Amino acid sequence: MALVPDLNPAPLPADAVEVSRVQEAWGIKGWVRLHPYSADPEALFHARQWYLAPPEGRYARGFDAFTGTVSVAVAEIKFHGEGVVAQFDAISDRNAAESLKGARIYISRADFPATTDPDEFYWVDLMGLAVVNRQGVDLGVVRDLMPTGPHSVLVLEYQADGKPQERLIPFVSAYVDEVDKVARRITVDWQPDY
């Protein structure tokens, strides 16, 4: 039997991005501790409507709060210590909050705050972009980004001799000339044999 009352079944928006998961209940008034996937979870703080999906993997065992995706309104979210905690309008006690452990949190990409710096990008916006060098040579498609401390690295996937290969390019202005989200292309100062 589900312990969570009045959650609205809702499909994920077409532009949904998984941004966090519920770690555990926090306190006695229905708050939950979150595990944000970003070091700077401003998108979580900006969006007021979240979508919860059942957990996968080890968190899925024993999960019975809901079976499909549900929409929840965020009543409050704040930093607590080095973590983030949140409360939903529909959750008012610890038992209900405990039943959400492991739930995946999605928000609509349209609810992300706008970037103010033209050289600042959300990783999700770079995924799937084609990467070409200044000479127009196709270097691959962005499959992932890897944090390395001072900067991120584009992880490209490309084909060579009919086999998938991986290419790494530092995502810094010394190598990245332009990111054109409309054309879905990144132009870099990089050669295929680097």
Side-chain angles (χ1 to χ4, degrees), residues 105-125:
I105 300 171
Y106 292 80
I107 61 174
S108 169
R109 172 60 185 91
D111 288 338
F112 281 41
T115 57
T116 55
D117 182 345
D119 290 330
E120 185 175 74
F121 305 94
Y122 287 109
W123 282 17
V124 69
D125 293 339

Side-chain angles (χ1 to χ4, degrees), residues 24-27 31-34 36 45 50 74 76-81 83-87:
E24 61 192 355
W26 183 75
W31 286 73
V32 292
R33 183 180 309 279
L34 305 178
F45 282 82
W50 295 356
V74 179
E76 192 173 348
I77 181 171
K78 63 184 179 180
F79 284 104
H80 179 73
V84 177
V85 295
Q87 185 177 40

